[in-house]
Amino acid sequence: MHDPWARGLAWGDAPIVVTGLGFGDEGKGATVDALVRRLGIALVVRHNGGPQAAHHVVRDDGVVHCFAQFGSGTLVPGVRTHLGRDMLIEPLALGREAAALERIGVAAPLQRVTIDLACAVVTPFHRLIGRMEELARGTGRHGSCGMGVGAAYVDAMNPRVPTLRFAELRGPTAALRSKLRLIQMIKLDRAEKLVELRPDDPGLMLGFAELGRPDLVEDVIEAYAPVVGAVAVDDGEVLRAVLRDRPGRVLFEGAQGVLLDAQRGFWPYVTPSRTDASSAEASVAEAGCSPPLRLGVLRAYATRHGPGPFVSELAGMAERLPERHNVERRWQGPMRVGAFDLVAARHAIDLCSGDRLGVDGLVLTSLDRLAGLGPVPVCTAYRAQDGTVRERLELPPDDREAQAERSAALMRSEPILKEHAGWDAPGLPTMNRYARSLADALGLPLAGLATGETAADRTWAPSTGSRTS
């Protein structure tokens, strides 16, 4: 059977949640852009993560934008972005992203943004101390985007640590100045201890000098003003009203991937926040809506930035599939590439399930990248160091030490591979059979296929239900 759609998908009139089922970089941004255009989405909600997101969208004219805090539907005129209460906001980066959008023809992008007043703010002090902590780990780095998100998230989760909220950016300047100086002093104290541990590290010394710059607080306040003044704020009521009135016009865009989840990912190689759909589901439930349609996104092969378990990684595959947009940078490191990993994908689906409603459909991206490469490998199981073979991983224990041991064991495991016939051009029956085989192995209906970078390069499952616009 050449048709990859074993069955249609009940798109319905519920909100949509787009979640990465890997280590990030699955193609969520392009998926959101395409769904916004196809379904007439009016509001994209960023519900988790922060400014470290890198969701690349390519317009039909070839122009590329990397979405970090704006919703990935922003290239469509009139589509709005809401930054939900669990987001971490970096106003300076938001301003730079707005300027980049204006340069490619998006008019007044900040005026299309609302921000929840409860959002924690990532300050330059978090960025500097986060980079210093990563440098201090030496060869034991956990992986970082260098944005300070981890440091800010840890603060926000501790009620005894001062945390700047977006509401305070709109309050009295004297109070804002006092809070920023307090954060600066706390981070300076931490930085001093790091320098004492590694006094010969020039990167640590430079970070310490910049962190203690006496005029940094005033520079930050001045730079925040135009961004804070341009966006609208919301305590969540506007979002709830839209969900109640037009649920089918709302899309929740996830950040990072489920395998990087702070609580249940492969510790310690995780992002600092939750990466599943739990915060999106909470917003939908609070509005009294029907459960959302949950779409999980994966590439047709596996990728990972930074250190940590990646069992299906294959030598030489990164050279055969060079990255087009997520290029190597100092903090993230190179993009690692491997075979599509059924074990990891099943684990991500399991992590999305449990007491939640799981994944309703699979969106498979980057199928065009595999064209012409010959037989396509797929990882069907892991072989542990003791010879044990597993097709599925158990849910992670609550104990951090046990989680770290599990990650270490996975880093010593080997992939068991099966080869599928390759294809010479996107859209051929062989490609469709490959896509169908992955969806069947995961027990999910195919929701969409991407055979290129633009929205026009997407095909979607036929609908088995109605959707009003």
Side-chain angles (χ1 to χ4, degrees), residues 115-458:
I115 301 178
D116 195 292
L117 290 167
C119 286
V121 177
V122 183
T123 71
F125 310 117
H126 294 105
R127 172 174 51 81
L128 290 165
I129 196 64
R131 292 181 176 185
M132 290 181 69
E133 288 177 338
E134 187 73 345
L135 288 173
R137 293 186 181 108
T139 58
R141 290 179 60 174
H142 294 173
S144 169
C145 290
M147 298 289 292
V149 177
Y153 187 82
V154 169
D155 286 358
M157 293 297 101
N158 188 340
R160 291 180 290 183
V161 176
T163 297
L164 185 65
R165 302 288 175 176
F166 196 80
E168 296 174 90
L169 300 185
R170 300 172 66 89
T173 302
L176 174 59
R177 181 181 295 111
S178 177
K179 176 65 76 69
L180 285 171
R181 283 180 175 162
L182 178 58
I183 294 172
Q184 181 184 31
M185 291 301 104
I186 292 172
K187 300 311 173 193
L188 268 173
D189 183 65
R190 170 65 174 156
E192 187 173 7
K193 293 179 173 62
L194 294 175
V195 170
E196 289 174 356
L197 289 173
R198 303 185 64 169
D200 297 328
D201 190 316
L204 289 178
M205 295 302 297
L206 286 172
F208 183 66
E210 176 65 13
L211 191 55
R213 187 159 59 86
D215 57 350
L216 185 53
V217 166
E218 295 303 324
D219 287 351
V220 170
I221 292 173
E222 182 180 356
Y224 278 170
V227 177
V228 175
V231 301
V233 295
D234 175 29
D235 62 0
E237 183 51 43
V238 173
L239 173 60
R240 288 189 287 272
V242 174
L243 283 169
R244 286 192 295 266
D245 295 342
R246 298 187 297 171
R249 302 288 298 278
V250 180
L251 186 151
F252 289 83
E253 178 178 0
Q256 289 79 54
V258 170
L259 299 179
L260 294 173
D261 187 82
Q263 293 184 21
R264 303 200 289 174
F266 298 129
W267 176 266
Y269 309 100
V270 297
T271 196
S273 59
R274 301 306 308 273
T275 58
D276 61 10
S278 54
S279 59
E281 292 177 4
S283 294
V284 172
E286 288 170 7
C289 293
S290 299
L293 176 68
R294 300 161 180 84
L295 301 181
V297 186
L298 282 169
R299 291 197 196 201
Y301 55 95
T303 64
R304 174 165 194 165
H305 256 131
F310 187 15
V311 180
S312 73
E313 183 176 16
L314 297 177
M317 201 161 178
E319 288 72 26
R320 298 183 71 197
L321 290 166
E323 192 62 25
R324 292 173 176 171
H325 304 302
N326 290 303
V327 297
E328 181 176 355
R329 294 184 175 88
R330 178 184 182 188
W331 299 102
Q332 292 99 320
M335 180 72 86
R336 302 159 63 189
V337 182
F340 188 95
D341 191 334
L342 287 171
V343 182
R346 289 189 188 104
H347 189 57
I349 294 167
D350 289 343
L351 293 178
C352 290
S353 302
D355 57 346
R356 292 179 291 278
L357 297 181
V359 179
D360 298 310
L362 174 68
V363 178
L364 200 60
T365 70
S366 300
L367 285 153
D368 56 304
R369 302 296 315 281
L370 296 174
L373 294 183
V376 179
V378 173
C379 175
T380 61
Y382 295 168
R383 180 178 287 110
Q385 197 172 34
D386 64 2
T388 303
V389 173
R390 292 186 177 182
E391 296 182 353
R392 202 175 209 106
L393 299 178
E394 297 177 355
L395 292 177
D398 292 334
D399 179 73
R400 285 302 198 195
E401 184 176 347
Q403 289 181 359
E405 290 175 357
R406 182 181 77 147
S407 295
L410 287 174
M411 293 170 74
R412 295 188 296 268
S413 298
E414 296 179 350
I416 296 176
L417 301 174
K418 175 183 177 181
E419 284 193 343
H420 283 253
W423 53 92
D424 294 327
L428 292 178
T430 309
M431 185 202 76
N432 288 342
R433 283 195 290 271
Y434 173 75
R436 173 77 174 274
S437 71
L438 298 182
D440 287 349
L442 296 175
L444 293 176
L446 269 176
L449 297 177
T451 55
E453 296 184 318
T454 71
D457 299 313
R458 304 253 165 173

Side-chain angles (χ1 to χ4, degrees), residues 100-119:
L101 285 165
E102 288 178 328
R103 287 194 293 271
I104 62 173
V106 178
L110 286 173
Q111 294 180 17
R112 291 161 57 183
V113 176
T114 55
I115 301 178
D116 195 292
L117 290 167
C119 286

